[in-house]
Amino acid sequence: MKKVSFAHMGYSYLGFKQLVEDMGFEAIVPANPSPATLDLGVQYAPEFACIPFKTVLGTYLEVLNRGAEMIITSGGVGPCRAGLYGLLHEKILRNLGYNFELFIFDPPLTGLGPFFWKLRRVLKEARLSWLAFIDVVRRAWAKLKLLDELEQMATVTRPYEIKRGATTRAFNQCLEIIDRARSSKEIAAAREECRQLLQSVPRDEERRPLRIGIVGEIYVLLEPFMNLDIEKTLGEMGVITKRSIYLTNYTTTDVLAHGTEDIRQIAHPYLNQFVGGHGQSSVGETILYARNGFDGVIQLAPFTCIPEIVAKSILPRVSRDFNIPVLSLTIDEQTGRAGVETRLEAFVDLLRQRREQMEARSNAALLPGY
Amino acid sequence: MQPCYLGIDVGSVSTNVVVISATGEILSSLYLRTHGQPIQAIKEGLRQTMAALPGDVEIAGAGTTGSGRTLAGAIIGADIIKNEITAHAVASRQEVPDVQTILEIGGQDSKIIILRQGVVTDFAMNTVCAAGTGSFLDQQAARLGIPIEHFGDLALKSRNPVRIAGRCTVFAESDMIHKQQMGHNTEDIIGGLCEALVRNYLNNVAKGKEILPPIVFQGGVAANAGIRAAFAKALGQEIIVPRHFAVMGALGAALLARDYVAKHPGTRFKGFEVSEEDYQARSFICQGCSNLCEIVNIEADGQLIARWGSRCGKWDTLGE
């Protein structure tokens, strides 16, 4: 059986693991990125490549050392250099003497032909019919959707938890349950079981958590190792977070279609062109969070990420115009946990004070559970 | 017995200890170098503070801040552990009640805090570069062979400050060397360096923020007359340096502790005797899953007093 692997991004590995295994390959599941993964990536990556590049390179090296023969990954489009990362990864790895197959799937809309031919080659290798493949994808997709749903559920539960860490523990249990579920029926049952598990976390409904929207580059947003567990950290400080990107909604809106038009239109007065990556979305989503009454927005950007730098320089104006505090965090292999925690804590303090002040001014109590 | 409040700010470069009275008056203040050994610095700070305090003082509350706040909090038994931004804002508000802008330059961190009507409405910290901080000045002063205490006065003597690229420490240093080779005198180079540092701060940290008076400048670097003058020149405003500019973080922590204890009576402070104990930090890599977290154990005389580092929460509870 061919040993197939893929990049690690948040909890999506559970979905991809199933996809690869159901296609009849042996899955080499990449481990959670660790400082060792990053060190490995940093060692062979160009210095000013962004941190997603370095981490993914480190992950590839780890899976290749574990015997992976084929890596399936996604490409990218637009001015952001991430579009060329797959090719660069391949060059670096080949120079290091690794022998493997790499399939980079660019979004189908950028070229249906190449997408189709590549897929055909993979399926041929898997000896899988198109019909069977559709079924495999459908189930993997259901799993990915479930993961996204539970991640969101965990972020709205965490600020209410009475025992610190209880939600995270329940969520980790959910991951194991999801991993075992294979058929559509099992996945549906796992959904029920996991939802119950998270619902049964003892809650203090009296609390009124803050709401913070998180925008920025997809990899640092989805991979907890990269963003120093920002959602857990904030959750335990009593904050409900909402990410603008979850893998499945991103795939439907941006990979299989030309993006959610409205986000671009909302961003238009401040940034009227596509600058690659998620730059324009970061601006648009910040405005949307402000309109929806969020208390603040945090932008996560990898160091040297051009689209996010463009957004970062525009966000102070958005912040002023829409009266919503924005905190920008730049993530790099040099990023220290103490620094990030200080900024997050201070930001939450600021938002609390701000809310108290606004409440005192309007002298009207907000509904509990706000 | 007079109830007093203890505040400790453990930063990367300095460790400050302050004791205040119930009215916020500073009874004792201490500025020590951390020298990369926060535990030693905390112990030394407590020892010296205890020696300096009058006998009728009783610590009714304790707070910690700074990047070593969690460690300090575990050692002394703090009632409140707060980030530097909040601590600085609280301290500044006490010294200059109508303050609207706080400029803060410390050893490794520089920050700007914006207040309106006494409430923090915005802040920023240096993110990717520490060019505009005290350590950089220290280093350049050492390189030029000038004691850091004379640095600011020399800068004030400059008639013609040279323009130095202040984007990043590496560029600033090589540009500075270049200007030296071109024959500029030391005063003008130092004057230029102060302006570069302020320019860097205003362009990269204070970016896009509305800087309204009264402006308070605090942190160790506020002692530097050259930087103060460069700020006044660049902003065209009066720059207020509070009396206790170097220990504002610790003052803030003490004030926060006082307010906290007022609402939650009974302090957790373990007493000054903790400075006599022997502390050790041990770490190990948890092999429980592929996250491979580094778990740190803090032990006092062989007793585990604090533990942190795990991402899943497995080690969060003591005694497991």
Side-chain angles (χ1 to χ4, degrees):
Chain A
M1 245 191 315
K2 196 149 214 161
K3 293 177 177 163
V4 175
S5 194
F6 40 87
H8 192 284
M9 187 149 86
Y11 304 106
S12 65
Y13 68 92
L14 288 171
F16 293 129
K17 175 187 172 195
Q18 166 162 329
L19 181 75
V20 165
E21 284 179 354
D22 286 355
M23 284 172 78
F25 297 122
E26 182 184 338
I28 303 281
V29 181
N32 288 336
S34 67
T37 316
L38 189 52
D39 285 347
L40 207 56
V42 168
Q43 193 176 348
Y44 298 108
E47 187 190 351
F48 284 104
C50 62
I51 192 127
F53 181 92
K54 294 171 183 171
T55 315
V56 172
L57 181 63
T59 305
Y60 287 167
L61 283 161
E62 283 179 350
V63 294
L64 288 171
N65 290 338
R66 281 165 55 200
E69 297 155 300
M70 187 203 281
I71 293 173
I72 300 177
T73 184
S74 65
V77 277
C80 168
R81 54 193 173 166
L84 302 170
Y85 276 3
L87 302 172
L88 191 52
H89 279 140
E90 184 173 12
K91 267 206 148 55
I92 292 171
L93 293 169
R94 292 230 189 277
N95 278 343
L96 289 172
Y98 288 99
N99 192 18
F100 61 102
E101 279 176 279
L102 180 71
F103 285 96
I104 305 165
F105 282 96
D106 291 321
L109 288 183
T110 57
L112 225 74
F115 186 82
F116 175 78
W117 289 113
K118 262 184 219 164
L119 192 56
R120 211 176 94 119
R121 266 183 59 206
V122 174
L123 292 187
K124 211 168 160 195
E125 193 119 28
R127 294 204 193 92
L128 205 65
S129 76
W130 284 95
L131 210 63
F133 178 64
I134 288 169
D135 179 56
V136 168
V137 169
R138 213 166 39 87
R139 273 182 292 126
W141 182 254
K143 210 170 218 188
L144 288 172
K145 275 200 100 72
L146 175 57
L147 283 163
D148 284 351
E149 183 189 333
L150 292 174
E151 245 193 295
Q152 289 174 59
M153 214 175 139
T155 60
V156 278
T157 307
R158 204 171 277 124
Y160 293 100
E161 71 190 11
I162 291 166
K163 191 164 183 298
R164 195 163 161 259
T167 313
T168 306
R169 243 163 268 188
F171 181 74
N172 288 341
Q173 267 176 289
C174 290
L175 293 180
E176 282 165 32
I177 294 167
I178 295 173
D179 191 26
R180 284 194 298 267
R182 277 306 164 94
S183 67
S184 298
K185 218 169 129 192
E186 283 166 358
I187 292 171
R191 177 164 181 267
E192 280 317 304
E193 196 181 345
C194 295
R195 286 181 61 93
Q196 292 230 320
L197 207 60
L198 281 170
Q199 270 160 6
S200 64
V201 172
R203 292 158 60 106
D204 174 6
E205 299 286 350
E206 293 289 293
R207 293 185 199 162
R208 296 169 19 203
L210 293 162
R211 288 198 305 160
I212 294 181
I214 301 182
V215 304
E217 193 272 336
I218 184 166
Y219 192 81
V220 292
L221 235 61
L222 295 194
E223 183 57 65
F225 168 68
M226 294 286 50
N227 58 41
L228 303 136
D229 276 310
I230 191 166
E231 292 186 49
K232 179 176 165 239
T233 311
L234 285 172
E236 288 175 0
M237 288 180 194
V239 177
I240 290 179
T241 54
K242 188 154 175 23
R243 264 195 256 138
S244 45
I245 307 173
Y246 290 89
L247 194 62
T248 48
N249 71 12
Y250 171 74
T251 310
T252 26
T253 56
D254 286 70
V255 181
L256 302 175
H258 283 300
T260 32
E261 267 325 302
D262 51 331
I263 285 292
R264 296 208 181 153
Q265 263 161 22
I266 292 167
H268 201 267
Y270 293 89
L271 181 57
N272 63 8
Q273 50 191 295
F274 181 64
V275 291
H278 308 268
Q280 212 183 0
S281 318
S282 290
V283 174
E285 280 148 5
T286 301
I287 297 172
L288 209 57
Y289 284 130
R291 282 194 197 155
N292 289 333
F294 275 68
D295 296 285
V297 170
I298 293 176
Q299 180 203 19
L300 291 176
F303 184 47
T304 71
C305 170
I306 299 291
E308 293 304 326
I309 290 171
V310 173
K312 188 183 170 185
S313 60
I314 293 170
L315 286 175
R317 244 184 74 212
V318 176
S319 164
R320 212 169 327 153
D321 291 358
F322 288 84
N323 192 24
I324 186 164
V326 177
L327 174 72
S328 289
L329 292 176
T330 309
I331 312 264
D332 190 13
E333 69 260 26
Q334 320 283 354
T335 302
R337 192 172 264 276
V340 172
E341 275 170 8
T342 299
R343 286 159 177 80
L344 292 181
E345 235 184 83
F347 192 61
V348 170
D349 276 350
L350 174 157
L351 297 183
R352 283 237 169 78
Q353 279 189 28
R354 211 168 153 267
R355 182 200 263 181
E356 278 166 23
Q357 198 194 26
M358 288 202 298
E359 282 178 5
R361 212 179 285 153
S362 64
N363 207 13
L366 285 163
L367 294 171
Y370 164 81
Chain B
M1 283 298 231
Q2 186 190 358
C4 291
Y5 305 90
L6 174 78
I8 303 186
D9 176 357
V10 184
S12 51
V13 174
S14 69
T15 295
N16 311 315
V17 185
V18 155
V19 175
I20 60 164
S21 68
T23 54
E25 282 303 304
I26 292 194
L27 301 178
S28 142
S29 94
L30 202 64
Y31 182 98
L32 295 170
R33 293 260 164 180
T34 308
H35 288 305
Q37 293 181 307
I39 297 180
Q40 288 308 318
I42 294 164
K43 283 173 68 172
E44 182 59 26
L46 286 176
R47 218 178 44 72
Q48 291 190 23
T49 303
M50 182 168 65
L53 283 176
D56 65 337
V57 161
E58 183 200 16
I59 301 297
T64 61
T65 186
S67 50
R69 61 184 177 278
T70 324
L71 177 67
I75 289 179
I76 68 162
D79 298 300
I80 186 163
I81 298 173
K82 258 297 173 206
N83 63 81
E84 303 91 291
I85 307 265
T86 307
H88 277 132
V90 167
S92 225
R93 216 161 42 200
Q94 143 137 338
E95 299 288 297
V96 184
D98 53 347
V99 56
Q100 294 208 82
T101 309
I102 301 170
L103 314 173
E104 212 272 345
I105 303 187
Q108 281 296 314
D109 264 326
S110 57
K111 47 181 107 55
I112 182 166
I113 308 171
I114 306 287
L115 295 103
R116 296 290 181 262
Q117 281 116 37
V119 171
V120 178
T121 57
D122 201 3
F123 73 88
M125 277 175 107
N126 57 337
T127 48
V128 288
C129 177
T133 58
S135 291
F136 177 57
L137 281 181
D138 256 3
Q139 201 185 334
Q140 296 318 316
R143 228 180 51 77
L144 293 165
I146 301 161
I148 187 76
E149 299 80 31
H150 302 161
F151 198 86
D153 299 326
L154 269 176
L156 292 182
K157 286 197 190 121
S158 161
R159 293 278 166 77
N160 235 337
V162 287
R163 191 174 169 91
I164 291 171
R167 188 75 180 91
C168 160
T169 43
V170 177
F171 297 136
E173 182 161 334
S174 54
D175 196 30
M176 221 177 85
I177 292 169
H178 170 66
K179 297 281 151 64
Q180 276 175 291
Q181 316 286 42
M182 279 169 71
H184 289 285
N185 65 43
T186 312
E187 286 94 52
D188 287 344
I189 288 175
I190 293 179
L193 193 62
C194 290
E195 289 190 356
L197 194 145
V198 165
R199 200 164 51 237
N200 177 52
Y201 175 91
L202 293 175
N203 292 342
N204 295 323
V205 181
K207 189 195 217 63
K209 308 243 182 284
E210 199 181 14
I211 298 178
L212 295 179
I215 304 170
V216 168
F217 179 25
Q218 56 193 45
V221 176
N224 191 314
I227 302 282
R228 289 201 301 261
F231 263 126
K233 187 173 159 194
L235 294 170
Q237 297 272 7
E238 190 204 349
I239 306 291
I240 305 167
V241 176
R243 271 175 304 163
H244 308 291
F245 65 89
V247 296
M248 294 295 269
L251 172 60
L255 289 167
L256 284 163
R258 183 192 66 184
D259 297 346
Y260 182 85
V261 176
K263 278 190 222 153
H264 309 80
T267 181
R268 280 195 290 269
F269 181 58
K270 295 181 193 162
F272 284 107
E273 305 76 60
V274 294
S275 69
E276 305 297 325
E277 280 180 50
D278 183 28
Y279 293 96
Q280 265 175 327
R282 292 173 209 278
S283 74
F284 65 94
I285 306 286
C286 170
Q287 304 284 349
C289 76
S290 65
N291 282 329
L292 304 178
C293 299
E294 187 179 7
I295 314 296
V296 180
N297 285 327
I298 306 291
E299 290 172 7
D301 288 333
Q303 278 276 331
L304 192 61
I305 57 165
R307 177 155 64 193
W308 46 72
S310 79
R311 286 176 50 185
C312 66
K314 177 176 174 181
W315 299 94
D316 281 3
T317 332
L318 287 176
E320 263 181 274

